[in-house]
Amino acid sequence: MTAQIIDGKAVAEQLRAELKSKVADLKTKDILPGLAVVLVGDDPASRSYVTAKGRACDEIGLYSDNRCLPELTAQEDLISLVEEFNHDPRIHGILVQLPLPKHIDEGPVVLAIDPAKDVDGFHPVNVGKMVIGQECFLPCTPHGILQLLLRSGVQIEGAEVVVVGRSNIVGKPIANMLIQKSLTGNATVTVCHTRTHNLADHVRRADIIIAAAGRPNTITADMVKEGAVVIDVGVNRVEDATRKRGYRLVGDVDFDSVKEKASLITPVPGGVGPMTITMLLYNTVQSAMRAAGLEA
Ligand code: NAP
């Protein structure tokens, strides 16, 4: 069997088109969803994420306010800016780009964000609501994975899912979402990590594999059941002298061999990646609708 490729770029474009038309509709009701993005320091990767977020807002017609603060910004000043956005009625979503410089403690900064504007879904109030199945902002990468599965027609209910990785931003939340007693959940989920014995034995049982380890070739063909759905979240740089920049990006899955056994597979790049910013836009639109008392 050769897998069908899940085209994350195409799914993200479709979702953005839906959001664009929702935003146009909201504008007729005098509602303009707004996103604030705060970057501290000069990390080139973070800067390019922030630029991409601003462009994505423009593309679907959102208001955006991007602030770039110097590397040596004091924690209190960053928190004051967050509080300013908490009270700004033009802003429905606040995102502080992580990681922050070492002298700033991430915890208090995330706690300072009004949970009603926490479109990253990292505030403990939103995390708690997600775990107990209440309405909340779902974190963007795992929400993007869920949308890829749903929009590819993958049967989640009753499926054996193996998630490789237990981080707070990918592994734990996607596992939580998929075990919810809901139409988009009802899976049986195993979460693996570096202390898991016999990773291959777990992965081999999976109808759906979600690889979020951050290590190339963590999932090889011998670990994959014939016909499994494979979602590769990993983004890893490997040296490649044939490329101008000296490296290429690969996922956690040995794509070339695994695609011969899977039924569906996401590529890297072009799989999960394009969904993350799209779900941020989705959450911002949802937030503006909730603030206006509309059904989100
Ligand atoms: P992380 O915080 O480094 O967590 C990695 C997890 O994988 C940890 O739980 C670790 O276990 C586990 N792990 C690592 N090697 C393993 C192995 N050989 N066997 C089993 N488990 C293993 O990473 P993350 O933030 O979740 O990100 C994971 C990957 O996804 C990275 O490549 C990242 O760049 C990518 N990512 C992509 C997007 C996107 O938008 N496309 C968004 C977020 C992340 P321990 O807990 O035991 O250490």
Side-chain angles (χ1 to χ4, degrees):
M1 169 181 279
T2 300
Q4 207 178 313
I5 307 294
I6 299 179
D7 183 347
K9 232 174 130 197
V11 178
E13 269 166 24
Q14 186 196 337
L15 250 157
R16 287 187 195 196
E18 291 166 19
L19 287 171
K20 194 172 176 175
S21 94
K22 197 173 262 186
V23 171
D25 181 47
L26 289 173
K27 279 183 186 161
T28 66
K29 300 180 173 77
D30 281 331
I31 300 165
L32 176 61
L35 175 69
V37 179
V38 184
L39 170 69
V40 186
D42 265 329
D43 178 62
S46 294
R47 189 168 280 276
S48 74
Y49 290 138
V50 169
T51 308
K53 284 165 186 165
R55 255 204 318 265
C57 284
D58 293 345
E59 189 195 310
I60 68 154
L62 298 192
Y63 167 69
S64 66
D65 187 342
N66 287 355
R67 302 286 180 99
C68 297
L69 307 181
E71 175 84 23
L72 291 176
T73 299
Q75 182 165 313
E76 313 80 88
D77 294 338
L78 174 58
I79 289 179
S80 297
L81 178 61
V82 166
E83 282 164 356
E84 198 184 296
F85 285 132
N86 282 344
H87 295 106
D88 185 340
R90 294 168 303 177
I91 296 299
H92 303 93
I94 303 167
L95 181 144
V96 177
Q97 185 66 47
L98 302 176
L100 290 164
K102 288 204 168 40
H103 66 282
I104 299 180
D105 184 358
E106 227 170 82
V109 176
V110 173
L111 274 181
I113 299 172
D114 178 351
K117 297 189 177 187
D118 166 42
V119 285
D120 243 348
F122 291 164
H123 192 290
V125 166
N126 281 313
V127 176
K129 285 184 172 180
M130 176 193 64
V131 171
I132 61 174
Q134 287 186 1
E135 186 180 81
C136 63
F137 293 116
L138 294 174
C140 300
T141 299
H143 192 189
I145 296 169
L146 182 63
Q147 287 297 327
L148 284 179
L149 292 171
L150 294 172
R151 287 171 183 248
S152 306
V154 174
Q155 167 86 20
I156 297 174
E157 177 161 328
E160 289 278 345
V161 179
V162 171
V163 178
V164 184
R166 58 175 164 184
S167 73
N168 291 335
I169 63 165
V170 188
K172 281 182 198 154
I174 190 61
N176 261 296
M177 288 177 199
L178 295 175
I179 57 164
Q180 292 299 320
K181 196 168 186 171
S182 73
L183 287 174
T184 59
N186 289 328
T188 303
V189 181
T190 303
V191 180
C192 300
H193 43 78
T194 55
R195 309 295 166 91
T196 296
H197 295 299
N198 303 323
L199 178 68
D201 290 348
H202 291 283
V203 176
R204 247 179 239 126
R205 282 202 325 268
D207 303 309
I208 302 173
I209 299 163
I210 299 176
R215 204 191 66 146
N217 292 320
T218 303
I219 308 295
T220 49
D222 58 304
M223 300 163 78
V224 176
K225 181 167 84 176
E226 193 76 36
V229 173
V230 180
I231 305 289
D232 192 353
V233 190
V235 180
N236 309 294
R237 283 182 181 193
V238 294
E239 272 183 38
D240 185 343
T242 68
R243 304 285 171 108
K244 202 167 147 202
R245 55 189 179 182
Y247 67 87
R248 68 193 150 88
L249 296 179
V250 300
D252 292 348
V253 174
D254 178 16
F255 183 83
D256 288 336
S257 66
V258 170
K259 81 173 188 322
E260 299 306 326
K261 281 184 99 176
S263 58
L264 285 167
I265 189 167
T266 59
V268 177
V272 175
M275 295 297 288
T276 298
I277 294 183
T278 305
M279 300 326 295
L280 177 72
L281 305 175
Y282 177 96
N283 282 351
T284 306
V285 173
Q286 227 188 9
S287 176
M289 290 174 74
R290 280 187 203 146
L294 300 172
E295 186 93 12

